[in-house]
Each structure stands twice: as C-alpha cells, then as structure tokens.
Amino acid sequence: MFKKMMKHLVNNLGLKVLAILLSIVLWMVVVKMADPDATKTFSVSVEIRNKNVITEMGKVPDIVGDSDIAVFYISGPRSYVEKMNGDDFSVTADLSQLDLSRDGDVKLVPIEISPKKYDKYITVMQRTVNLQITLEDLSQQKFVITPEYTGTPADGCAIGTVEVVPNLLTVSGPESVVSRISRVSASINVDGVSGDVTDNVMPVLLDEDGETISSELLERNQTTVTIRAKILGTKSVPIRCKASGTPAEGYEYRGLEFVPENVLVKGEPDLLNGISAINIPEDAINIDGMREEDEVVIDLNPYLAEAGVSLVDESLNQVAVRVMIEAKETKVYNLPVDRINVTGLDSNYELSYNGNSVPVSVRALKEDMDTLQLTDIQGALDVSGLGPGIHSLQLTVTLPSDKYEMTGNVNVQVTIEDKNKEEGTEGNEDGDVDDDGQDRGPEVNQDENQANTTDPNRPSQDENEESPRGTER
C-alpha cells in the first residue's frame, strides 16, 4: 500500500512541481491585486544622540538650516503603508559618527531611519541623508524666570503675587542660540479661579521679539519649575485730592477736575475693608502764584502702598488733575455819599463831602460780578474825635459776600464845620471881629470884660449909650 502511494507521488514529478510553482505565482498575483503597493512621504525631526562627544571637546553642535528634519518615503503593501505615521519611525543622528575629516565648517552626521513596525513589509527610501552641523563654542547663561499668568479670575477677584520656585534657570548650548535668549518665562492659568493656585510648568525661552526658542542642542539645569498665584479680593474706591497755596492776585482757584475718579484696587480682605478712598495730600498740588489752568499728573502707587493695596490694572496708576484758575473782573461803582453811614460825629458839627459820589473798585469772577448791584455796596465812616476842618479819611466798604474784594483803599475828603461857631460869627459883626476879618474868639471878649472891670474911671457901656440917647431926647 505504501509502495503504491509513493509510486503515485513520484509519477510525473516535474508536472507536479510546476503546478506548485504556478499556484504560488497565482497566489501572489491575487494578493497583489487585492493589496497593491503604495508609497507615503514623511518629515520627521531627527533625534540627536551622544551630544557629550561634542561637549567633551569644549564645543557644541549647531544645526545648519532644516537639516534636522529628515524627509523620506516608504513603499510597501497599501494595507501596511496606510497604517504608518511619523511616530512609527526611529530617526536618529549619532554625533559619535561625526566626520571631522571633512573640510569646511559644516560637518556631516549620517541619519538613520528605521521603522518600529512592519519592517518586513515596507521599504524606506531617504531624501535627507545627513544631518549638517557646525561646531560652536559652548555658552552657558543664567536667566531669572519671569512669572506670568493667563486667563481671568472669577468676578470680584484679582491676581496678587505670582512667584516661581526656583526662579533661576541655567541654559547651555551653542553661543549663537544662547545669545538669542532675551528672557525666560513661566505661565500659570488662573481662568475662573477664586483661590490660590499652584502648578508645575516648563519654562519657555523667548527672543527679543517674544518668539519661542526651541532647540535640541540646548540643555537646562531643570526641566520644570513650580509657579504659584495668589488670588486677592477687589474693591472700587474714589480718589480724593485737594490743592494748597494761593493763586496770583486777581485770580481765583475754582477747584480740581481729575480722571479717573475711581480705581479698582486689590488686597487682603482686612486691608480692603479699611480703605474708603485714596487721599492725595494737598502738598502734591501747589497753586501758589498760578495765573492760568494747569494739569498735574500724579502717581497713585505711593499712596496705595501706604494703604497696603495695589491696582488691579497697574497701567492705571496715573491720575491727570486739571487745576482750574480763573481771572477776576474789576468794575468801578460810584457809591453815592448819601449811602455812607457816618458815626462818631459831634452833635455840634456837621459834615459835608467833596463830591456827590465815591468811586469803589470791586473785583470778582464774571458770573458773580454780573449779579452785583450798587445797592449791595455799603460804606461807613468813623469820625470820632475829629474836629472842624478838612479831613481825608479811609472809607470802610462792606460787600455782600467774600466772593467780592476791593482792589484798593477808598479815601474820602470831608469837611467838618461847627454849627455854633457859624452862628456866633454872624452875631459878633458889631465888634467881635478884628480889622483883618478874623474872629477874636472868647479870649478877646474876655480881655475886654476884664478891662472894663478894673478901670473905675472908665464909663460903663450903658452910660455911654444913654448920653447920646439923652442928647437925642
């Protein structure tokens, strides 16, 4: 039985082998038709290995152009090719294979590409073959990490202090790259938060334009730092300010106008409860001798610091204050003399003026001057102790309010006369006036009386008067 089977198998052996080969070919044709070949292109960053080889030389590699981006394509059955992406390949450049014998500054490092899966079914074809580098001096620099935040806290809350621990970062690498670093920042998200937050983040290297600097050739002494943000309460408070000094004569201080009138401050709850306004001291705005409006810019920060609070928006720290100064108008009013109240005049005297009115110069703001009437001005003279004669006196002027002021003194010339003296002069026309027309006064009359009394031989006046009358009779 066994012999029969063996004889049957070896009969026509060539035909049978040919049939097997044809079957394999036919299977391959069918497979190719069902899963044809395809190609796909990739661009993958090159992983640089063994950098210490270069750093031990006191140098650091600097990549030329975009040679650290390897461009390649693969081919193979579509079912495999379509499943592949950039992460499925190991793309490396080993600096230990650096060709130092090459002339020129640019050195070449072979790029190796190997698939992490399906390596039996796909073929890799490279376009970028070598990593191109130049060797630069190694540079190392320390940077203070700037804390930053993104987002907006919850309503009624504001960002307080933001700090980074540790706040120093040491960066080493090619001098051309390290020299481009302008600052280092670390950022924390505070969007919608109402309490203190903490996070671990990677510091970001920035150039002078604020663009991120990233390089595989840069090394840091730490990859992450801790950043903390304190959340504070807020409060809107008014600004209060006054001016000190006095404007020039003839000008009046009308007050202050300033913007903003209120600011939003932040701080601890007990400090916010204790502040009701931001008071700017008077000596911050001095108006001595001012003749026109002026604008003063005041920094709020010193006064906020005294209260232990700060501005929510730090850019609003300046207050523009407009000092309002207005020139006064001057107007002359002719005050009738009959409106002058005279006091202290002796009842035996009478007073007269040199004119019917007295000019009074008043100064005030235009709006006040327009309402001032002559009847609002009062004059007064005190002539106590003054005797007959011509006198120049200062008039006391009373104005309706302190809105008005005198621009100078008002002098009034008055004549005081003795009413009794005038009557006596008329009655003494018979003999009490000297030949030169001057009144001899009571002293002269008194001397005559004494003469009549002491001389007995002198006839009396009555006797002298009776003799002619007797003769006439």
Side-chain angles (χ1 to χ4, degrees):
M1 181 70 181
F2 177 75
K3 291 182 177 181
K4 279 179 103 178
M5 289 180 62
M6 289 298 296
K7 183 178 180 181
H8 181 70
L9 287 173
V10 297
N11 280 342
N12 301 318
L13 182 61
L15 290 175
K16 292 179 180 178
V17 171
L18 180 60
I20 292 173
L21 292 175
L22 288 175
S23 299
I24 293 173
V25 171
L26 181 60
W27 177 81
M28 292 179 66
V29 170
V30 172
V31 170
K32 286 289 184 181
M33 292 178 63
D35 192 8
D37 286 344
T39 60
K40 189 175 183 179
T41 303
F42 297 90
S43 296
V44 180
S45 296
V46 178
E47 178 187 354
I48 301 175
R49 296 179 176 177
N50 293 322
K51 295 179 185 178
N52 61 306
V53 174
I54 304 300
T55 56
E56 288 174 359
M57 299 167 54
K59 300 288 183 178
V60 65
D62 187 19
I63 298 169
V64 177
D66 296 330
S67 63
D68 60 337
I69 304 297
V71 179
F72 59 94
Y73 64 94
I74 62 172
S75 63
R78 183 186 301 273
S79 59
Y80 295 106
V81 170
E82 290 181 348
K83 295 178 182 178
M84 304 287 286
N85 56 49
D87 295 334
D88 295 326
F89 297 90
S90 174
V91 181
T92 61
D94 191 345
L95 295 185
S96 64
Q97 300 180 24
L98 175 66
D99 183 7
L100 295 175
S101 63
R102 177 184 173 86
D103 294 334
D105 295 333
V106 179
K107 309 299 181 181
L108 301 180
V109 181
I111 296 176
E112 297 181 359
I113 304 172
S114 58
K116 298 178 182 178
K117 61 182 181 179
Y118 309 140
D119 57 326
K120 295 180 180 179
Y121 304 102
I122 62 172
T123 303
V124 178
M125 288 158 283
Q126 292 181 239
R127 292 184 186 176
T128 306
V129 178
N130 293 303
L131 172 69
Q132 301 178 34
I133 64 171
T134 58
L135 300 181
E136 291 189 34
D137 291 335
L138 178 66
S139 176
Q140 187 178 82
Q141 191 170 345
K142 292 183 178 181
F143 297 90
V144 176
I145 303 174
T146 303
E148 297 178 351
Y149 65 89
T150 59
T152 304
D155 292 341
C157 298
I159 294 293
T161 57
V162 182
E163 60 179 0
V164 177
V165 180
N167 65 341
L168 282 178
L169 180 70
T170 302
V171 181
S172 59
E175 184 176 8
S176 61
V177 180
V178 175
S179 62
R180 289 172 49 209
I181 303 174
S182 176
R183 65 186 184 93
V184 178
S185 71
S187 181
I188 188 171
N189 189 346
V190 297
D191 197 39
V193 300
S194 57
D196 298 349
V197 288
T198 302
D199 196 5
N200 293 322
V201 299
M202 177 181 293
V204 179
L205 311 179
L206 302 170
D207 62 16
E208 60 182 7
D209 296 324
E211 299 295 330
T212 302
I213 298 174
S214 59
S215 174
E216 292 290 337
L217 302 177
L218 292 177
E219 293 185 356
R220 314 176 189 199
N221 65 329
Q222 52 200 18
T223 56
T224 62
V225 293
T226 300
I227 182 170
R228 302 185 183 94
K230 189 173 184 60
I231 306 300
L232 302 174
T234 63
K235 183 178 182 180
S236 178
V237 293
I239 298 172
R240 296 174 183 167
C241 58
K242 297 180 180 179
S244 61
T246 305
E249 186 177 356
Y251 295 84
E252 183 164 321
Y253 166 63
R254 299 302 307 277
L256 303 174
E257 290 183 350
F258 49 90
V259 288
E261 295 182 352
N262 297 273
V263 291
L264 191 65
V265 298
K266 60 185 178 181
E268 297 291 347
D270 56 336
L271 295 176
L272 290 179
N273 292 334
I275 182 172
S276 59
I278 301 172
N279 296 304
I280 299 173
E282 293 183 0
D283 56 5
I285 306 172
N286 189 283
I287 63 173
D288 275 333
M290 289 183 63
R291 298 175 179 270
E292 59 184 9
E293 291 188 354
D294 193 14
E295 186 169 298
V296 180
V297 177
I298 298 177
D299 185 5
L300 288 177
N301 285 329
Y303 312 113
L304 293 172
E306 292 177 1
V309 298
S310 58
L311 291 169
V312 173
D313 187 347
E314 296 181 356
S315 65
L316 299 178
N317 65 306
Q318 292 186 332
V319 177
V321 181
R322 185 164 70 96
V323 183
M324 295 180 290
I325 302 293
E326 184 176 341
K328 295 180 179 181
E329 289 188 354
T330 301
K331 186 176 180 180
V332 177
Y333 293 83
N334 291 316
L335 179 67
V337 294
D338 58 5
R339 292 183 55 79
I340 298 176
N341 181 32
V342 178
T343 59
L345 182 65
D346 191 291
S347 60
N348 293 320
Y349 298 157
E350 63 179 2
L351 181 145
S352 62
Y353 297 91
N354 183 19
N356 296 323
S357 64
V358 179
V360 178
S361 180
V362 181
R363 183 165 57 198
L365 297 176
K366 183 180 184 306
E367 61 188 48
D368 297 324
M369 191 66 78
D370 291 342
T371 63
L372 181 64
Q373 302 296 322
L374 181 60
T375 55
D376 298 328
I377 303 174
Q378 304 294 327
L381 281 177
D382 184 3
V383 296
S384 299
L386 296 181
I390 299 173
H391 304 276
S392 181
L393 304 175
Q394 183 173 326
L395 182 68
T396 301
V397 178
T398 303
L399 300 173
S401 72
D402 57 3
K403 297 178 182 178
Y404 307 94
E405 62 180 345
M406 300 283 295
T407 59
N409 296 327
V410 179
N411 292 321
V412 180
Q413 184 172 308
V414 299
T415 301
I416 299 177
E417 296 180 349
D418 188 340
K419 293 184 291 184
N420 295 331
K421 180 178 179 181
E422 290 178 355
E423 294 175 357
T425 301
E426 294 176 357
N428 292 335
E429 288 179 357
D430 292 339
D432 292 340
V433 179
D434 293 338
D435 294 339
D436 58 1
Q438 297 295 324
D439 185 0
R440 292 179 297 175
E443 294 180 357
V444 175
N445 295 335
Q446 183 177 3
D447 291 340
E448 291 179 353
N449 294 333
Q450 291 176 353
N452 292 335
T453 303
T454 58
D455 188 1
N457 297 323
R458 182 175 179 177
S460 65
Q461 185 175 357
D462 293 338
E463 292 177 349
N464 292 336
E465 290 177 353
E466 289 177 357
S467 178
R469 292 190 187 105
T471 304
E472 291 176 355
R473 286 194 299 265

